[in-house]
Structures are given as C-alpha cells and as structure tokens.
Amino acid sequence: MNHWIIAPVVLPLMCGATLVLIGGRAPALAARIGVVATAALLAVAIALLVQADRGGVQAYLVGNWAAPFGISLVLDRLSALMLTLTAGVALAALLYARGGDDRRGPHFHALFQFQLMGLNGAFLTADLFNLFVFFEVLLISSYGLLLHGAGLARLRASLHYVGFNLAGAALFLIAVSLLYGLTGTLNMADMAQRMAHLPADRGLLLQSAALLLLVVFFVKAALLPLYFWLPATYGAACAPAAALFAVMTKVGVYSVLRVSTLIFGEDGGPTAGVAGPWLPALALATIALAAIGALAAQQLRTQIGYLVIGSAGTLLLAVGLAQPATVAAGLFYMVNSTLVAATLFLLVDRIAYARGQSADTLRAGPFDGSRHRLGVTFLVCAVAAAGMPPLAGFMGKALLLQAAGPTVWGAWTIAVVLAGSLFVMVALARSGSVLFWSPAPATPALASSPIETGALPPRAGHGLALVLLLAAVLACSLAAGPLSRYTQATAAQLFERQAYLRAVLGAQPVPAAIDVRREMRERGGKP
C-alpha cells in the first residue's frame, strides 16, 4: 500500500501539534517549521499528482480494515489536483505571512497547519462521516484564522460566519444520519453501490436526505441564496488567511462534484440527478449576482469576495450541466480562478500600505513609489479574473461555453457567462483607474496613516509570495494544453465510477507482520 496517500493529512497534523507546543516560546522557529512543512506538503502533493496521472484510483485503508467497515482514503486525479492547488496557495500565503502578519496573534502557524489537514482530509476521504469530521477541523481552524489580528470588523464577521457554519454542521449531521439509516453505510463507494437496489418506498426520504446534504455543500460553496456570509468574512480576514480561504469554497464545489458523480449519478436510483433540474439555474443566478456585486462594491476586498462567489457559481454551473466536457472545463477554470483570487487578496494588502489609506476603499488617493509594479500585477490579475485573452481565465470560460452549447442550458449559459465577464471587466477597470490613475484629492481628510490600514511595511516574503502566485497564474496559460488534457482525463474518470468502486471496495488489508495468534499457539499459550 502507498503510505504517501495519508501524508497530506499526517504531515500538517504532526506539524500543527508541534507548533502548538513551541509557537509561544519560539515564534521564529515555528514560522520556519511551518514553511518547511508546507513546502514538503507541496512536494508530496506533486508526487501524488504524477502518480494519479497514470490513470489508476488508489485506496488506502486507515487502520487496515477493509471497506466499508474501516476508514478509507482515495487518491484519484481530482483529489490529487485539489491537494496540489491547496499546497501551492498555502505555501505562498505562509511566505507572505512571515512578513509580520503571523505575529499579530497567537498560534497562527498551528491553526494554518490544522486547516491544511482539514482541507486535505476532505479531498481524500472516502466516507461521508469523515468528510464531516474534516469539514469541522478546517472550519474550527478557520474561525481562529479569521479572528487573527483581532479588530471589530473581524469579530463581527466571525460571529456571522460561526453561526452560519454551526447551522450547516447540524444539517450535515442530520443528512448523514438519514443516509446511514436508509442505506446502512457511510462509505461513499458502498453507498453508491447500494443506492440503486433500495426499495422504492424509500425514494422520497432518500431524495430529501440527498438534497439536505447538497444544501450543506452549497453553503460552503456560497451558492445563491447562501452566499451572503462570504464577502464580509473574506474581506475581514488578514491577507494570508484570506488567500487560503480562496480554497475553502472549492471544498464545497468538490463535495458536490464528488457525490453528484459517484452517489447521485445516473445509477443513483431515486436520487439520480437529484440536483439536475435546478442547480444550473441557481448557478447562473449566482454568476449574475456576483457580477453585479463586484460592479457595486466600494471596497476592493469586497469586490474580490464577489469574484470568488462568481467563480464558485461558474464551477457549480459546470457540475450542474452534468457533462464530462463541462466538468473538464470547470476544473480548468477552477485552477486559474483560485490562484487569481489568492493573488488578489495578497495584492490588496500591498495596495493598502502603498496608498496609506483606509484598507482598500475604492477612491482616489496618494500612492508611493510602488504604483507601477503593483499596477502591472493588478492588471494581470484583472485580465485573468475577467476571463480576457490571452490568460487561462479566457480559455476556461471558452471551453465551458463550447461544452455547454449543445445542452438545454446553452443559450442561458452563453448569455449569463459573457454578460458576467463584461460586468467584472468593467468593475475591475474602474477599480484600477481609481486606485492607480486618479489624482490625490485636494483635501487631506480622506487620507490616513498606514498603521490604520493594518498593512505592514514591505518585506521580502511579500514580494516572493506575489511573484510565485503570479508565475503560477501565467503558467496556467503557458501550460494550457497539458492542464486541459489532465482535467479532461479527470472528468472522464469521475463519470466512469466503476474504477472508484473497485479501488475502494476491492482494497484488501495488508497481512500482519507478526501473527500473534500463531505465536500463542506455537508457545502453547505461554508468555
């Protein structure tokens, strides 16, 4: 068995536990350990990505118990892609945090590692209850990261965020309990196999449980009308935490994609295509709302939050259309949009310091000597976020429109996605003009000191993190061919679910190195 599959969970767990012990006494050492561990996590994720690209689905039996009785982890193309994307964003965020943000409160690096553990576990787990467990791990860690640095805005946002997610957790438990009571299992592969053979009289209950579970995932993905917590939450978090939060909405999208293709797919019995009739409509409405919100936003952080919502809506549209080609296009788009959102959350912190104004308010003001450097970075991110050529955002949306054209939602998809891109382009063009080109006002009342913005003076880690993320955004365009082929193979693997079922249900425990019972028999029961 390949023990590297469990490394993305164990590595941040052990690192986080270590940092809890030493973080208060040796913060500099804790920061270095956190960066090294995250760099090692990225190396492991890339190795697993290469391994998954060979085409096989691998199951790892935690505790050496066969499914469905034990805990199983599964590595396939989708989980490997999510692990790599998460580790890449996390490394850049940690490098940025070493510029001083990590010292604004206790246990930043430990919380960061525990959130990585929760994210990676959610991407790897093969049963619904452990998906709930990893959801709670990443959410509890995100509560601490959201409050990191204190402040009234963060406290207010955290109250809404915690309350909303506690309600979601309660619904998650109810949905999982219903599914367990109806199917007798929580292993996703086993549940998928049993779903088609359940009695017809359980159909309504099964559909209710499935829809309740999807609602929980839609909360995480910020689908309309469950989106309102996201702009304030992401806008209030410190820059490196907000950059990592850009991955959190993708956990909801990942979960919807996983259960929709594996459990609630064509062979899902009463739950087959349970979200099909209305998910594309809600996703299109989410894209439209996010575009309007970005256009109306008065703060750059809020605007980026709406871009994240629009990205989630585009991904859920690709999932809701339920075609391999649309899912492949959505996955291609997901990589670019996540990297762009993380870059923008870090960039807004630099803009706030350079302007010396209140955080990120979209109004004219003075600018220090970094105007041109930050302006070029903002321009690249704006082009990628709006889906303009020649960057990967345009390619992802073009692939989605091409794949969605023959479907019944083709006309609506083309109209809404193109109109949303136009609105986002106008919104970001306005923001760039105000931030980088408008002259400073004659009255000094609008200005404030850099200390009031919360942004710290430039450090080497700030520039390095932005360069790495910007290089990754550009690499998505330069490597569009290989990335597109990978996402197409990922979508094909998701819709061919038999490989997943065979890998999980066919995995056999490893024989014990020492047979205790035989040893006892040979010794006649004597010690």
Side-chain angles (χ1 to χ4, degrees):
M1 301 179 73
N2 187 357
H3 294 287
W4 286 111
I5 295 175
I6 201 173
V9 177
V10 173
L11 180 59
L13 170 63
M14 300 303 295
C15 180
T18 303
L19 296 180
V20 168
L21 297 176
I22 69 171
R25 292 174 291 179
L29 177 60
R32 287 193 290 270
I33 292 175
V35 171
V36 171
T38 307
L41 178 63
L42 178 59
V44 171
I46 293 173
L48 292 175
L49 183 75
V50 173
Q51 183 173 319
D53 195 32
R54 297 170 186 166
V57 180
Q58 299 181 57
Y60 183 86
L61 304 179
V62 181
N64 208 28
W65 283 81
F69 306 106
I71 299 172
S72 301
L73 303 180
V74 176
L75 177 72
D76 61 357
R77 284 191 170 97
L78 178 60
S79 58
L81 177 63
M82 300 307 298
L83 290 175
T84 306
L85 183 61
T86 301
V89 171
L91 180 59
L94 265 189
L95 291 172
Y96 190 94
R98 290 206 63 189
D101 286 285
D102 58 343
R103 293 190 292 273
R104 289 181 165 180
H107 304 303
F108 174 86
H109 290 283
L111 290 169
F112 199 94
Q113 293 299 321
F114 288 136
Q115 183 162 8
L116 286 179
M117 172 197 169
L119 289 168
N120 294 339
F123 295 139
L124 287 170
T125 187
D127 69 88
L128 288 176
F129 183 76
N130 282 287
L131 181 61
F132 166 78
V133 171
F134 285 120
F135 262 50
E136 293 307 299
V137 171
L138 70 91
L139 286 173
I140 291 171
S141 304
S142 69
Y143 301 155
L145 290 176
L146 176 58
L147 285 170
H148 181 75
L152 180 60
R154 287 170 184 159
L155 180 60
R156 184 183 298 114
S158 68
L159 290 175
H160 296 162
Y161 177 65
V162 171
F164 204 71
N165 280 284
L166 286 177
L171 293 179
F172 201 160
L173 277 179
I174 294 171
V176 168
S177 300
L178 282 173
L179 287 171
Y180 180 74
L182 293 168
T183 64
T185 184
L186 289 175
N187 183 280
M188 289 191 284
D190 192 38
M191 186 180 293
Q193 198 171 53
R194 297 186 186 192
M195 195 67 74
H197 306 292
L198 294 175
D201 58 357
R202 299 185 184 181
L204 290 177
L205 273 176
L206 282 168
Q207 291 177 5
S208 301
L211 289 172
L212 193 58
L213 184 66
L214 289 174
V215 166
V216 175
F217 297 153
F218 293 152
V219 169
K220 312 303 182 193
L223 181 73
L224 183 77
L226 305 171
Y227 73 92
F228 55 83
W229 60 270
L230 192 146
T233 300
Y234 285 28
C238 65
L244 185 61
F245 286 178
V247 182
M248 271 208 306
T249 52
K250 307 309 182 290
V251 179
V253 175
Y254 166 88
S255 301
V256 173
L257 178 57
R258 180 67 77 187
V259 299
S260 297
T261 54
L262 183 63
I263 305 175
F264 309 141
E266 294 181 356
D267 299 323
T271 62
V274 67
W278 46 269
L279 179 54
L282 287 179
L284 288 169
T286 303
I287 296 171
L289 176 137
I292 296 171
L295 193 62
Q298 297 300 309
Q299 289 190 324
L300 188 53
R301 283 180 179 268
T302 303
Q303 191 173 70
I304 300 169
Y306 278 107
L307 295 181
V308 173
I309 295 173
S311 168
T314 304
L315 295 174
L316 288 172
L317 173 63
V319 176
L321 294 174
Q323 300 294 322
T326 62
V327 171
L331 293 175
F332 184 97
Y333 174 78
M334 176 194 67
V335 176
N336 172 80
S337 63
T338 304
L339 293 171
V340 170
T343 308
L344 284 171
F345 277 123
L346 299 184
L347 180 63
V348 67
D349 201 49
R350 294 298 88 217
I351 294 173
Y353 180 84
R355 298 178 74 225
Q357 286 199 342
S358 59
D360 52 355
T361 305
L362 292 173
R363 63 188 183 194
F367 221 111
D368 66 10
S370 62
R371 177 196 300 266
H372 298 92
R373 183 174 67 255
L374 295 178
V376 170
T377 306
F378 182 83
L379 175 62
V380 173
C381 292
V383 169
M388 299 295 294
L391 297 183
F394 168 77
M395 302 175 195
K397 289 187 176 181
L399 290 171
L400 178 59
L401 296 180
Q402 182 182 24
T407 67
V408 295
W409 292 95
W412 283 103
T413 298
I414 293 172
V416 174
V417 170
L418 290 180
S421 297
L422 176 62
F423 276 39
V424 170
M425 181 175 63
V426 172
L428 292 175
R430 182 201 66 179
S431 300
S433 299
V434 170
L435 292 173
F436 298 100
W437 291 101
S438 297
T443 58
L446 295 177
S448 61
S449 68
I451 297 176
E452 292 175 353
T453 69
L456 297 169
R459 296 288 188 272
H462 295 156
L464 179 58
L466 285 170
V467 167
L468 289 177
L469 284 176
L470 198 61
V473 171
L474 297 176
C476 288
S477 303
L478 297 175
L483 179 58
S484 178
R485 286 192 292 273
Y486 186 91
T487 56
Q488 289 173 6
T490 302
Q493 189 179 65
L494 286 170
F495 282 89
E496 181 55 47
R497 65 174 195 162
Q498 290 302 320
Y500 189 99
L501 300 183
R502 287 194 300 269
V504 176
L505 300 178
Q508 297 298 318
V510 176
I514 300 176
D515 190 336
V516 178
R517 293 182 178 179
R518 189 185 63 184
E519 292 276 340
M520 293 291 289
R521 286 196 302 268
E522 291 177 352
R523 297 185 181 186
K526 297 179 182 180

